[in-house]
Amino acid sequence: MERGTMDTALATRAGWTTLIDDIVAGRWTNPETDALASVPYETIVIEESLDGAEADLVAGLKLGERFTVVTDTNSWDAMGDRVATALRRLGPVETVVLDHPHADMANAEDLRRTLHGADAVVAVGSGTINDLVKFVTGQAGKRYAVFGTAASMNGYTSTTASITLDSGLKVSLPSQGPAGFFVDLGVSARAPRHLSAAGFADCLVRSVAQVDWWMSHRLLSTLYSTVPYIIQEKDEAELNARAAGIATGDIAANGYLHRVLTLCGLGVSFTGMSNHGSMGEHQISHYIDCFAGADHPGTLHGQQVGVATLSMARLQRHFLDSETPPVIRPTRIDPADMARRMGPDIAAQCFAELKGKVFDDEGAARINEKFAALWPTLRAELNAFALPVAEMERLLSDAGGAMTAADLGLPVARYREAVIHSREMRNRYSFLDVAADAGILEDFAAGEA
């Protein structure tokens, strides 16, 4: 295949894994390295229906002869019962049906004990189920397969798992991708609409995450890669053109949604990190998950990401609409206030994490010199990545996504706190950091609802 080419034929009804197949099989050439792709997956199948094919798909992976199906109560009804029944023609099947689990260390430990001695593990579900199973099996050195039941996140093909630690801090932990990832688009299209809307929001972040990541690269020389964007660019346009179909359960819209989510997850295999789809906007959502406490409305991470994405888009426009470069001051972080909000243990962990983006007088002066020298060029580069705010608002609304904190059921004060303080959680440098050091973040947050 010619270097860097990816004629997807833009995924027809007969080819939902076009390009994906080439990447998984090692036939696609990475244009940054001139090397053939190498990703830790054996097969990815996305079809309009997998009814009757479940056993053959799993058998081809040679996971083992005794099967344990891990699912939850909702996913059992959606597809778990069907998969367990199909697998019985291959061998004995045990079922583990979790009751509204959370992806945290306590549930992971419980599942580890349950799966001790398990032979072939097959997950059926979406975010929480997949994160728990991939983390537990990865720790145990076991391969696994997953049947996705909703296009709610890009974690199916990510090699990390989002797990809440015992301290309450939610982090991305090294894990593994599934040996086999299987999607029945009919099942996914019938999933509750808020699940698909959450997945769409996780795709919409591309614009703001790329702006943040490139800005960080230009100012701080952090790693940046174009590959995750190259492989999903055409499908992103096709998905956005079908945003309204997400809200109505359209099969084609869900097909493109799964393609973009899958390709975004595959991007982690090329970079070893999730920055291409997780910057300032994800920090806001992580803060809500970790610190909203009793005020947390029980919304999905992706739903929160959608609201945060719109906030980040507006914040980035504040800077990109100006011909004058940003000017920052030395970073002000109050460890005592962090400890009050986060608890002393988490605050200490986060403070150690963010030290790399805390600037003293000399450091702030260096950043300002770079902004002054780069701004005309950098501004043009960032504008090329950015979608107009009004377009992003329309797309998310068409997909049925939450648009505001009120839509989430989250107190506005809690949301504004997340906008102001979420930059304290990670070392990723975003326009949240620029705005805070420029002295405008609190005023900006006061206008977000």
Side-chain angles (χ1 to χ4, degrees):
M1 180 174 290
E2 186 176 324
R3 179 168 65 91
T5 60
M6 29 156 233
D7 180 10
T8 65
L10 287 178
T12 64
R13 294 169 71 86
W16 286 113
T17 53
T18 303
L19 174 62
I20 294 170
D21 291 337
D22 287 338
I23 293 173
V24 171
R27 296 189 297 262
W28 187 75
T29 300
N30 182 334
E32 291 185 338
T33 64
D34 286 327
L36 290 172
S38 178
V39 298
Y41 314 100
E42 297 171 40
T43 182
I44 295 175
V45 177
I46 303 173
E47 298 285 353
E48 293 192 17
S49 175
L50 297 179
D51 197 2
E54 301 90 347
D56 289 337
L57 291 171
V58 174
L61 298 173
K62 302 187 184 306
L63 296 176
E65 298 180 351
R66 294 176 294 104
F67 300 91
T68 301
V69 173
V70 182
T71 186
D72 61 18
T73 50
N74 291 331
S75 299
W76 174 259
D77 293 336
M79 198 178 187
D81 188 8
R82 190 178 108 190
V83 170
T85 299
L87 292 180
R88 288 192 177 99
R89 77 173 175 84
L90 302 180
V93 176
E94 294 185 9
T95 58
V96 178
V97 182
L98 304 178
D99 184 15
H100 298 91
H102 296 283
D104 55 34
M105 292 302 291
N107 277 278
E109 177 60 21
D110 287 345
L111 186 60
R112 182 193 66 77
R113 288 193 293 266
T114 299
L115 295 181
H116 179 71
D119 188 14
V121 179
V122 178
V124 183
S126 54
T128 297
I129 289 295
N130 187 58
D131 276 334
L132 284 170
V133 173
K134 73 158 59 174
F135 180 69
V136 170
T137 56
Q139 292 285 302
K142 298 176 184 288
R143 294 157 63 237
Y144 85 105
V146 59
F147 287 84
T149 55
S152 57
M153 46 85 217
N154 61 28
Y156 288 118
T157 52
S158 170
T159 51
T160 61
S162 294
I163 302 291
T164 301
L165 303 178
D166 292 336
S167 64
L169 184 63
K170 186 175 183 178
V171 297
S172 294
L173 296 177
S175 186
Q176 66 171 341
F181 169 44
F182 311 120
V183 175
D184 183 318
L185 290 176
V187 172
S188 183
R190 290 192 296 272
R193 298 295 182 258
H194 72 279
L195 298 178
S196 296
F200 181 83
D202 226 7
C203 296
L204 192 64
V205 308
R206 192 280 311 160
S207 171
V208 295
Q210 191 171 13
V211 167
D212 275 347
W213 199 22
W214 181 250
M215 182 271 295
S216 174
H217 171 69
R218 292 284 264 148
L219 287 181
L220 305 181
S221 298
T222 53
L223 175 69
Y224 178 86
S225 172
T226 61
V227 172
Y229 303 118
I230 289 172
I231 62 177
Q232 72 181 64
E233 179 180 13
K234 292 183 180 180
D235 288 289
E236 179 187 327
E238 292 291 327
L239 171 61
N240 288 349
R242 294 165 175 79
I246 300 301
T248 60
D250 179 73
I251 290 284
N254 274 270
Y256 279 105
L257 177 55
H258 269 291
R259 278 182 61 83
V260 175
L261 290 169
T262 299
L263 290 165
C264 185
L266 289 173
V268 177
S269 298
F270 291 99
T271 65
M273 58 183 63
S274 60
N275 300 52
H276 61 277
S278 176
M279 291 294 289
E281 76 297 323
H282 272 66
Q283 292 177 202
I284 294 172
S285 183
H286 283 312
Y287 191 97
I288 293 168
D289 284 336
C290 290
F291 306 118
D295 287 333
H296 198 295
T299 41
L300 296 174
H301 180 61
Q303 293 175 286
Q304 298 155 194
V305 163
V307 177
T309 293
L310 298 183
S311 291
M312 285 304 303
R314 289 188 285 265
L315 180 61
Q316 290 171 353
R317 284 262 54 95
H318 170 86
F319 292 102
L320 297 180
D321 285 343
S322 174
E323 295 182 1
T324 303
V327 176
I328 70 167
R329 301 174 297 200
T331 306
R332 293 183 176 181
I333 296 289
D334 185 345
D337 187 58
M338 286 179 63
R340 177 187 63 79
R341 287 180 282 103
M342 300 176 172
D345 292 340
I346 294 179
Q349 184 177 343
C350 289
F351 188 74
E353 176 81 2
L354 65 85
K355 280 184 177 179
K357 58 179 186 178
V358 172
F359 302 115
D360 58 14
D361 288 333
E362 183 179 343
R366 285 197 303 270
I367 294 296
N368 288 332
E369 287 175 4
K370 286 189 176 182
F371 266 132
L374 292 174
W375 190 241
T377 301
L378 178 58
R379 182 178 173 228
E381 292 167 346
L382 298 178
N383 273 319
F385 300 143
L387 292 178
V389 175
E391 180 180 350
M392 298 177 75
E393 291 173 339
R394 177 185 62 79
L395 290 171
L396 188 57
S397 176
D398 286 352
M403 306 284 288
T404 65
D407 291 343
L408 295 172
L410 180 71
V412 172
R414 279 290 191 186
Y415 182 71
R416 291 171 178 169
E417 176 187 334
V419 172
I420 294 168
H421 294 293
S422 59
R423 70 189 184 97
E424 299 166 351
M425 294 186 67
R426 304 175 84 172
N427 65 354
R428 297 182 187 185
Y429 191 68
S430 76
F431 269 101
L432 291 171
D433 298 287
V434 175
D437 289 346
I440 70 158
L441 185 56
E442 292 193 14
D443 286 343
F444 170 80
E448 293 297 289

